[in-house]
């Protein structure tokens, strides 16, 4: 099994889309730790749909080529949004010609080819940061529940958005510990998820709880 | 299967005025079953469309989708429904020759747009299957 993250492409099955995919794949695989895969929605094969859904479920980030508003691409995009997958939308069409349901989302426009790769890099970075935040938030929530049960603490958790902002700040000052390093990881993320970050009693309880767990 | 705790069904059609009669017929037939119809027009102006549509579909037990024109918004909403494990009832005009591969495996309601009187019966027959499943499960 590959340890790399998966960047899954939703594209219409057109010859030019193949070249475009190869171009982006080469760039993404050279500049990130992602492996690219493409959905070939060939319209003739039915079982392939299961594979596409599976790839969407596995993907860390999804890039959708919305050009021409292809029906299959939009179905798959809806499926990805239902699963809260980070998505990057690219189009060669004018933004006002993009379907209503996704028009308000950030689009990378192919009409500005020289800005394509910088925009893609930015979008990938924020999509991956969102993914990391979501994963860490879920792990922090688990830890918080265990902490609350053990300590009978009356504390609330902050929102994912607030957690992501705090995580960015904390990561700028210190390296994020590995999730396998239980004690250091808990000491790092638990204070970030407590809604009232100035509640020193809870912060002291966290330190005591982590020390007890690792003693 | 059909979740009776949810009293809503979401209907997705192209927003070009062509399906107003279909929307009204579906609304009427569902009302007879005491089910409320939700559509994109239930999204408030200024709301985040993606999130709002997803919320409406989350409230619904079933997504009915008029897919004859392969409208991308409709297909997007079907995708959300599938991702949220909702039942999907595709509606297709009888003159349509092909349906997208992603929906080829669904049980589709095929209707004659020049005689919409038969549509309520077709929809009820589709719903009855799930009513039956539910009765057998109880």
């Amino acid at each position: 099994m590959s340890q790399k993250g998966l960047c899954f492409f939703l594209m219409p099955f057109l010859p030019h889309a193949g070249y475009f995919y190869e171009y982006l794949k080469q760039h993404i695989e050279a500049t990130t730790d992602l492996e690219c895969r493409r959905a070939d929605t060939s319209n003739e094969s039915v079982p392939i749909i299961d594979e596409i859904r599976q790839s969407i479920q596995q993907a860390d980030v999804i890039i959708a080529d919305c050009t021409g508003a292809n029906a299959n691409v939009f179905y798959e995009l809806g499926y990805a949004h239902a699963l809260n997958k980070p998505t990057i939308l690219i189009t060669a069409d004018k933004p006002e010609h993009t379907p209503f349901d996704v028009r308000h989302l950030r689009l990378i426009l192919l009409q500005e080819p020289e800005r394509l790769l910088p925009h893609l890099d930015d979008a990938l970075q924020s999509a991956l940061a969102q993914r990391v935040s979501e994963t860490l938030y879920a792990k922090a929530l688990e830890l918080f529940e265990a902490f609350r049960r053990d300590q009978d603490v009356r504390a609330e958790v902050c929102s994912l958005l607030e957690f992501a902002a705090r995580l960015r700040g904390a990561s700028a000052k210190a390296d994020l510990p590995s999730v396998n390093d239980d004690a250091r990881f808990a000491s790092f993320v638990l204070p970030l998820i407590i809604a009232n970050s100035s509640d020193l009693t809870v912060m002291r309880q966290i330190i005591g709880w982590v020390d007890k767990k690792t003693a | 299967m059909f979740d009776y705790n949810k009293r809503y069904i979401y209907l997705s059609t192209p927003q070009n005025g062509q399906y107003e009669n279909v929307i009204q017929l579906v609304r009427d037939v569902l009302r007879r079953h005491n089910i409320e119809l939700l559509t994109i027009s239930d999204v408030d102006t200024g709301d985040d469309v993606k999130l709002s549509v997803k919320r409406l579909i989350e409230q619904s037990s079933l997504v009915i989708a008029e897919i004859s024109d392969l409208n991308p918004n409709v297909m997007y909403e079907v995708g959300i429904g599938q991702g949220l494990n909702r039942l999907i009832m595709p509606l297709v005009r009888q003159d349509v020759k092909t349906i997208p591969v992603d929906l080829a495996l669904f049980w589709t309601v095929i209707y004659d747009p020049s005689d919409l009187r038969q549509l309520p019966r077709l929809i009820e027959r589709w719903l009855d299957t799930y009513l039956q499943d539910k009765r057998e499960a109880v």
Side-chain angles (χ1 to χ4, degrees):
Chain A
M1 282 287 284
S2 164
Q3 292 302 303
K4 290 187 165 188
L6 174 62
C7 175
F8 189 59
F9 278 71
L10 311 177
M11 294 180 130
F13 189 68
L14 296 167
H16 78 263
Y19 295 118
F20 182 49
Y21 166 68
E22 287 304 327
Y23 173 68
L24 295 182
K25 173 183 159 79
Q26 211 171 27
H27 173 76
I28 292 168
E29 291 187 347
T31 56
T32 70
D33 208 20
L34 292 165
E35 185 182 25
C36 294
R37 200 188 298 163
R38 179 189 172 192
D40 282 341
T41 47
S42 68
N43 286 324
E44 278 125 35
S45 161
V46 172
I48 201 172
I49 292 314
D50 287 338
E51 288 170 30
I52 291 173
R53 287 198 202 111
Q54 211 170 22
S55 294
I56 292 173
Q57 287 161 22
Q58 290 167 357
D60 295 283
V61 58
I62 285 166
I63 297 180
D65 181 354
C66 300
T67 310
N70 177 275
N72 284 331
V73 168
F74 271 81
Y75 163 80
E76 291 149 12
L77 186 60
Y79 188 82
H81 281 163
L83 303 187
N84 294 321
K85 292 288 173 176
T87 52
I88 297 171
L89 311 187
I90 295 178
T91 183
D93 300 331
K94 289 183 176 166
E96 59 269 30
H97 293 157
T98 306
F100 173 74
D101 279 16
V102 300
R103 195 178 300 159
H104 62 292
L105 302 177
R106 188 179 160 195
L107 291 162
I108 296 181
L109 304 175
L110 291 177
Q111 291 159 331
E112 304 165 331
E114 71 287 353
R115 299 173 70 181
L116 168 64
L117 293 183
H119 277 167
L120 182 67
D121 292 343
D122 277 357
L124 274 171
Q125 214 162 36
S126 43
L128 291 173
Q130 179 196 334
R131 195 90 190 113
V132 169
S133 301
E134 282 170 8
T135 310
L136 292 182
Y137 187 73
K139 287 186 189 302
L141 268 181
E142 275 175 36
L143 280 169
F144 175 78
E145 285 307 327
F147 166 66
R148 186 157 62 176
R149 265 196 317 272
D150 285 358
Q151 300 289 297
D152 196 21
V153 174
R154 283 192 190 169
E156 298 296 324
V157 293
C158 67
S159 68
L160 170 61
L161 214 63
E162 174 66 26
F163 179 79
R166 290 178 182 180
L167 186 65
R168 273 197 299 278
S171 310
K173 291 180 200 146
D175 284 344
L176 179 68
S178 156
V179 287
N180 301 321
D181 186 347
D182 291 345
R184 284 193 61 223
F185 182 74
S187 310
F188 191 88
V189 296
L190 266 178
L192 300 181
I193 203 170
I194 305 293
N196 182 1
S197 56
S198 56
D199 187 338
L200 292 178
T201 313
V202 175
M203 298 303 158
R204 272 195 289 271
Q205 278 176 301
I206 290 176
I207 295 167
W209 184 72
V210 172
D211 284 349
K212 212 167 93 184
K213 297 289 266 185
T214 49
Chain B
M1 298 302 275
F2 197 94
D3 185 348
Y4 271 77
N5 295 318
K6 293 182 189 293
R7 302 308 307 180
Y8 299 100
I9 283 179
Y10 186 82
L11 173 64
S12 180
T13 66
Q15 295 294 295
N16 54 13
Q18 195 192 332
Y19 292 98
E20 290 308 314
N21 289 342
V22 171
I23 295 170
Q24 195 49 53
L25 280 167
V26 174
R27 194 183 299 280
D28 291 345
V29 78
L30 293 183
R31 206 164 271 161
R32 286 204 291 276
H33 290 269
N34 208 17
I35 297 169
E36 202 59 46
L37 187 71
L38 300 175
T39 68
I40 189 94
S41 56
D42 291 300
V43 173
D44 290 331
T45 321
D47 279 3
D48 177 327
V49 180
K50 183 188 90 167
L51 279 181
S52 304
V53 167
K54 191 173 161 190
R55 225 171 279 138
L56 291 175
I57 295 175
E58 261 167 352
Q59 287 176 46
S60 306
S61 51
L62 167 72
V63 175
I64 304 179
E66 214 311 337
I67 61 166
S68 305
D69 304 321
L70 300 186
N71 178 284
N73 288 315
V74 173
M75 295 300 293
Y76 175 78
E77 289 162 17
V78 171
I80 292 183
Q82 268 266 282
L84 295 173
N85 282 322
R86 297 297 180 260
L87 290 171
I88 309 291
M89 180 203 290
L91 303 181
V92 181
R93 295 191 314 265
Q94 67 178 18
D95 58 297
V96 172
K97 296 282 181 277
T98 55
I99 56 173
V101 63
D102 289 352
L103 299 180
L105 298 178
F106 289 101
W107 183 17
T108 304
V109 171
I110 299 169
Y111 69 97
D112 177 359
S114 65
D115 179 18
L116 283 177
R117 284 171 307 173
Q118 27 100 36
L119 185 59
R121 187 176 51 82
L122 294 171
I123 289 173
E124 278 183 322
R125 195 198 292 166
W126 197 103
L127 287 172
D128 275 350
T129 309
Y130 292 102
L131 293 173
Q132 190 64 36
D133 280 349
K134 179 70 181 176
R135 273 196 291 270
E136 282 170 6
V138 172

